[in-house]
Amino acid sequence: MASPKAPSEKLIARRAAKIVMNKAAIDALYAGMADGLIELGNKIIADASERAPKDAAAAAARGVPMLNDTGHISVWGQGKLVYGSSQVAAAKNRPRGVRAAKDEIIMIAAFGSPIAHLQELGTIKMPAHPFLTPALMANISNAGPYVTGAMSRYAATASTRALRGSGINAARAAAKAAKAEGIG
Amino acid sequence: MSLADPTGKLLTDIRDDATVAALVSGRVRAGEAAPGDALGAGHWQAFVVLARLGHSRSPHAPTQAVRYVARCYAATHQGATALAAAVSDAIHAKGRRISGGGVSIFGSFDDGGGGSDKDPDTDQPVEYLFIDVGALTSLIP
């Protein structure tokens, strides 16, 4: 007789089916989270670029791109780069000191200009002109809808796919059974 | 109603800390270095510049989160690191306090360091320390 310690085969099958379904949902949620962070990161970079100092003449004289043109984001999921500029993708590494744990999704918004941190934090002879932190703080309070919206879209797509998949599997099984009967 | 600025209270907390005071002799500045803080190579002295980076106001409560960077300058990289550690000790996990002017801080935290660097103009060693402050948006009468 089945008991909690010795569950029936039917129960084991149901549990296994449940676990498989949840794994699919978690994958979709991770993907949704990454999508939401990409959207949020692009918003932060666009906002920071607006706030960044723009001196086209000085940049041209030095032969370097303008500070506000050097913003980029990268997103790391489960320890791997899932979205990033060609610069980050080519380097295949993260900024110094950033850890991407296997159970986390992280988004890095950065400006590649060598003077970006000096503008942001200031120097002895120049006060700070922060542009990235204000953009971050202006957008971080609205971060929830970006991530939850993308996660909901992925979850909906995943459940639709799962439904379609189970329908197709049932049809295939029925066709296989009919074929076997015909042969028999 | 104007938004209360906790910079003054935070600066006072750092400046009045005994360990920081012993290292910088009161040279804790807001925004930019004072004349005479930055001396030439071989005569470098320790000082701290506290710069406000940005804030986020809560839509649900009369509170704000304010982010600062403390630039800790010293004669050597080790000195700058020691100064950043002293500043961190002065403000980290410090609870509710109210300034004489009615600014109420309910928490301040060391949010990590930006590492050690050299000032691009003077080459003086500097260590960056990020500080998060939670404060009320209005003054307490």
Side-chain angles (χ1 to χ4, degrees):
Chain A
M1 187 179 168
S3 70
K5 283 187 179 175
S8 68
E9 280 182 18
K10 194 177 164 188
L11 185 60
I12 290 170
R14 274 178 59 198
R15 279 182 182 168
K18 267 186 184 173
I19 289 164
V20 169
M21 192 177 78
N22 284 346
K23 273 171 115 175
I26 286 168
D27 283 347
L29 291 179
Y30 265 116
M33 218 184 287
D35 250 17
L37 286 176
I38 290 166
E39 207 177 325
L40 175 65
N42 283 325
K43 178 83 171 59
I44 291 170
I45 288 294
D47 192 355
S49 296
E50 281 295 311
R51 296 167 190 255
K54 299 169 191 72
D55 192 343
R62 289 187 197 134
V64 293
M66 272 209 300
L67 168 58
N68 66 327
D69 290 334
T70 61
H72 64 267
I73 65 160
S74 55
V75 175
W76 300 78
Q78 299 177 325
K80 290 177 183 165
L81 179 69
V82 293
Y83 179 89
S85 68
S86 53
Q87 191 185 355
V88 176
K92 287 188 190 298
N93 59 9
R94 293 175 290 279
R96 193 176 45 175
V98 175
R99 285 182 188 171
K102 289 203 169 174
D103 58 343
E104 286 179 351
I105 295 190
I106 59 167
M107 183 267 289
I108 299 161
F111 279 76
S113 166
I115 61 160
H117 72 292
L118 303 175
Q119 282 288 344
E120 178 80 7
L121 306 175
T123 68
I124 284 181
K125 292 190 176 173
M126 179 185 75
H129 298 117
F131 59 96
L132 184 54
T133 309
L136 171 73
M137 299 195 92
N139 288 288
I140 204 75
S141 55
N142 304 320
Y146 281 97
V147 177
T148 51
M151 283 167 75
S152 305
R153 285 196 295 275
Y154 262 89
T157 311
S159 54
T160 310
R161 279 184 186 157
L163 273 175
R164 279 184 193 156
S166 58
I168 290 167
N169 284 343
R172 275 184 188 159
K176 201 173 174 183
K179 196 176 174 186
E181 271 180 21
I183 291 167
Chain B
M1 185 190 295
S2 63
L3 192 64
D5 182 7
T7 309
K9 176 63 182 152
L10 186 69
L11 188 132
T12 313
D13 289 346
I14 295 170
R15 197 185 55 205
D16 292 351
D17 180 80
T19 317
V20 175
L23 292 169
V24 301
S25 312
R27 288 185 296 273
V28 181
R29 318 295 186 197
E32 53 191 327
D37 285 344
L39 305 175
H43 305 282
W44 286 328
Q45 59 184 357
F47 62 98
V48 177
V49 178
L50 187 67
R52 183 184 164 114
L53 295 178
H55 79 280
S56 161
R57 192 170 184 168
S58 167
H60 310 295
T63 61
Q64 58 178 327
V66 192
R67 191 163 168 82
Y68 293 90
V69 60
R71 304 199 306 267
C72 304
Y73 296 92
T76 62
H77 284 291
Q78 292 88 341
T81 305
L83 179 55
V87 172
S88 171
D89 287 347
I91 55 89
H92 182 62
K94 291 287 157 66
R96 184 171 175 270
R97 63 256 198 207
I98 302 171
S99 74
V103 174
S104 175
I105 290 178
F106 53 81
S108 58
F109 297 91
D110 169 351
D111 195 32
S116 120
D117 201 355
K118 277 184 174 180
D119 183 79
D121 296 312
T122 64
D123 275 349
Q124 181 165 3
V126 57
E127 179 98 11
Y128 300 106
L129 176 75
F130 295 99
I131 301 169
D132 272 341
V133 172
L136 291 182
T137 51
S138 51
L139 299 175
I140 295 194

